[in-house]
Amino acid sequence: MIVAFPLMIVPLVLYNLAMLGLMGAGGIASLNDVMLTLAMLSSATWTLQLGDFFIVIALIMLFFEILKATRNGSGSLLNHMLSMLVFIAYLVEFLLVKDAATQTFFVLMTIAFIDVIGGFTISIRSAGRDVSIGL
């Protein structure tokens, strides 16, 4: 049943932990905390902020969600329903919570929406290919 677990809940939980102050100062200001700084060969400095890190984590989770959507099993329908609930949680939090009204959270919510739409689309397409006509 671990296959049915929606991975897009991970960035949602991480974002909420950051807003509570468990990752830095807390609140929206914690999204600008620098996690990594690298000196590039061009003499420029590249920095990875906490908000950018959440987006990277969400994209990695999206990759694995798309891989899970190619399976046809009993857990895939449950996964799609739970992914829809996670997207609804993103949407409700975006609309009602003051600290969630950021560009980072909007991108995370968009990634969750792409997970829902992509999961349904891939499942429908792969299920159509599994139908055998009995020739």
Side-chain angles (χ1 to χ4, degrees):
M1 230 25 169
I2 193 78
V3 175
F5 181 75
L7 296 175
M8 292 307 298
I9 202 165
V10 172
L12 179 66
V13 169
L14 290 175
Y15 186 91
N16 286 321
L17 289 176
M19 292 302 113
L20 291 174
L22 298 176
M23 296 181 189
I28 295 174
S30 67
L31 295 176
N32 295 326
D33 290 347
V34 176
M35 294 188 62
L36 178 67
T37 302
L38 292 175
M40 307 302 283
L41 292 176
S42 64
S43 73
T45 303
W46 178 74
T47 59
L48 179 68
Q49 297 175 339
L50 186 62
D52 301 330
F53 179 70
F54 291 155
I55 293 171
V56 170
I57 293 295
L59 290 171
I60 292 169
M61 296 296 123
L62 178 64
F63 171 73
F64 287 111
E65 282 288 337
I66 297 297
L67 285 180
K68 286 188 340 183
T70 60
R71 296 182 184 198
N72 287 330
S74 60
S76 64
L77 182 60
L78 182 61
N79 184 2
H80 294 318
M81 290 188 304
L82 292 175
S83 293
M84 178 62 85
L85 289 176
V86 169
F87 169 69
I88 291 170
Y90 271 103
L91 184 62
V92 168
E93 187 170 345
F94 180 70
L95 294 174
L96 300 178
V97 178
K98 185 178 180 181
D99 285 343
T102 63
Q103 293 85 354
T104 301
F105 195 82
F106 180 77
V107 171
L108 293 174
M109 183 180 65
T110 304
I111 292 171
F113 179 70
I114 292 170
D115 170 39
V116 170
I117 299 301
F120 281 128
T121 305
I122 290 171
S123 292
I124 290 169
R125 295 284 294 176
S126 63
R129 292 184 182 159
D130 285 346
V131 175
S132 61
I133 300 177
L135 296 174

